[in-house]
Amino acid sequence: MSDAEKLSSSFVSTVGDDSIFNPEPQGKLKDCLLQLCSEARELYLNNEVPILDIVPTPLQFYRDWVSANKPVIIKGAVKHWPAIKKWSFDYLRKKIGEKRVSVAVTPNGYADAPNKGYFVMPEERFMLFADFLNIMEKPDSQPGLILDVYTSVMLYLHKDHYENIYCVVSGYKDFVLLPPSDIAWVPYKKYPAATYKEVQPGEFIIQEDTETGSVPWICIDPLRPDLEKYPQYKHASPVFCRVHAGDALFLPSLWFHHVRQSHACIAVNYWYDMEYDIRYNYYKFIQSLTWAEEPE
C-alpha cells in the first residue's frame, strides 16, 4: 500500500467516542502528526509560558511573540494603571453603580460549555451594577452562580481567532494552554444548543435552544481528561500558568485555552484581529486531514 493510500484508508480510530468530528488518527497520518508536534516542541514551543520582567518594545513584542504565535506573561505590564489601586467595590459602586449591566448566570461555574449532552449557555440577567457588586461582596446572598463572582468560575476549553492581551487588574487567572499544532489531539463533537434557566432560587434546568440548533465544541475537560473515551488527548502538550494582578498574558490566536479565576477577579482584554496568513492555512490543512466530518 502506498503512503497516500495509508493516509486515506487508516486515518481514524475505532476506539472511544464514535460521535466526535476528529477521532484519533491512525497509521502513517498519526506518525506524521506526532512528528509535527515533536518538532514544534523542539524548535519553538516552550515547556512553560515564558515570563518577562521588562515590558518589551513594540518591535520586540511583535517579532518575538505575535509573529511567532507564542504566549508570554509580562510581569508588571499594567501595574501603573490607576485601576490597580482605584477599582475597589466602593469606587466602582460610586462611579458606575447605576449602570444596568448584562450578567451571565450558571449553576456550576462553566460558561458556554457541554453539560448533560448539551452545549449550555448561561442565563442572561440584567441588573444594576451596584447590585452585582453587592453579590460579589456577599456571594452567599445569591443562590445562583453569577460569572466573575465565585472562585469556581471557568471558561471551558476553546480557541479564538484573535490576538488577545489579557490584563489582570485584581485577583488572578489560571490558564491551561495548548498550541494550534495540537488540533489533532483535541476532540470536538456536536451538541444541541441550550441555556440554563433558574426555576426557583438555586434550582436550574437546561432548556434546549432550537433556534440556535447544534454547536460543534471541544468535548474534553483538560483538568480531568477522559483518556479512555478520548485517547488522542494523551498526545497533547498543555502548559499551565497563573496571571496575577498587574501582569498581562499575551494569548495568541488559535491557541486552545481553559480559564479559571479567583473570587471577584477583574481583567481587561485587548482583542486584535489575527492575520489569516500561512499559519492559518496550515492549521486548516491539519484540521481537514484529521476530521472525519467538518462542522457546518
Side-chain angles (χ1 to χ4, degrees):
M1 183 181 293
S2 68
D3 287 348
E5 289 171 329
K6 290 178 182 178
L7 283 173
S8 62
S9 64
S10 60
F11 78 102
V12 296
S13 171
T14 58
V15 178
D17 187 343
D18 60 4
S19 66
I20 67 174
F21 288 112
N22 52 337
E24 182 176 15
Q26 297 295 301
K28 184 173 178 62
L29 176 58
K30 179 178 179 179
D31 294 339
C32 291
L33 291 167
L34 288 172
Q35 182 178 355
L36 169 71
C37 294
S38 176
E39 290 179 349
R41 290 192 296 270
E42 291 175 2
L43 294 174
Y44 79 98
L45 293 177
N46 302 100
N47 293 326
E48 57 186 27
V49 179
I51 299 175
L52 303 181
D53 293 319
I54 300 176
V55 178
T57 66
L59 177 60
Q60 291 171 332
F61 179 64
Y62 187 83
R63 179 192 62 202
D64 297 341
W65 308 106
V66 179
S67 181
N69 194 243
K70 293 170 58 177
V72 64
I73 294 173
I74 305 173
K75 295 290 290 183
V78 297
K79 67 179 182 181
H80 62 286
W81 283 7
I84 299 295
K85 294 182 178 179
K86 284 186 174 181
W87 284 10
S88 65
F89 291 150
D90 289 340
Y91 177 86
L92 294 173
R93 189 178 287 109
K94 179 180 178 181
K95 290 292 184 179
I96 54 175
E98 297 306 309
K99 295 285 186 180
R100 285 185 60 80
V101 294
S102 172
V103 178
V105 182
T106 77
N108 58 10
Y110 273 110
D112 294 341
N115 187 17
K116 297 181 179 179
Y118 291 91
F119 176 77
V120 194
M121 295 167 282
E123 179 182 346
E124 186 178 15
R125 297 181 188 171
F126 293 90
M127 63 176 66
L128 294 180
F129 193 62
D131 294 334
F132 177 74
L133 293 173
N134 292 339
I135 297 171
M136 294 182 76
E137 287 188 300
K138 298 179 180 179
D140 292 338
S141 67
Q142 173 64 33
L145 181 62
I146 297 183
L147 293 181
D148 295 333
V149 174
Y150 284 49
T151 56
S152 58
V153 166
M154 302 180 225
L155 292 178
Y156 210 74
L157 190 64
H158 67 289
K159 71 178 187 309
D160 298 306
H161 292 72
Y162 300 97
E163 314 291 355
N164 186 359
I165 301 177
Y166 212 114
C167 307
V168 178
V169 175
S170 67
Y172 63 82
K173 297 270 187 178
D174 286 331
F175 290 81
V176 182
L177 306 177
L178 294 98
S181 52
D182 276 354
I183 183 175
W185 320 124
V186 179
Y188 277 77
K189 67 186 299 182
K190 185 184 296 184
Y191 295 92
T195 57
Y196 287 112
K197 180 176 178 59
E198 190 175 31
V199 292
Q200 60 183 7
E203 182 180 338
F204 288 79
I205 62 171
I206 294 175
Q207 194 169 59
E208 187 168 357
D209 181 354
T210 55
E211 290 187 5
T212 299
S214 60
V215 177
W217 205 260
I218 295 169
C219 50
I220 196 164
D221 183 348
L223 301 180
R224 293 172 294 275
D226 186 343
L227 298 181
E228 182 175 348
K229 195 172 185 179
Y230 307 112
Q232 65 266 51
Y233 188 76
K234 66 178 177 290
H235 303 300
S237 302
V239 292
F240 305 83
C241 67
R242 175 169 289 184
V243 185
H244 295 274
D247 300 341
L249 167 69
F250 170 59
L251 180 57
S253 58
L254 301 179
W255 274 68
F256 301 96
H257 51 285
H258 176 285
V259 190
R260 294 174 294 168
Q261 67 179 36
S262 63
H263 173 70
C265 177
I266 300 176
V268 177
N269 291 63
Y270 290 90
W271 301 84
Y272 301 90
D273 289 335
M274 65 172 285
E275 294 290 340
Y276 287 85
D277 53 17
I278 191 64
R279 292 173 300 178
Y280 181 74
N281 294 145
Y282 284 141
Y283 176 86
K284 294 296 292 183
F285 176 66
I286 296 174
Q287 178 176 298
S288 66
L289 281 177
T290 57
W291 285 39
E293 176 189 355
E294 293 203 38
E296 298 177 357

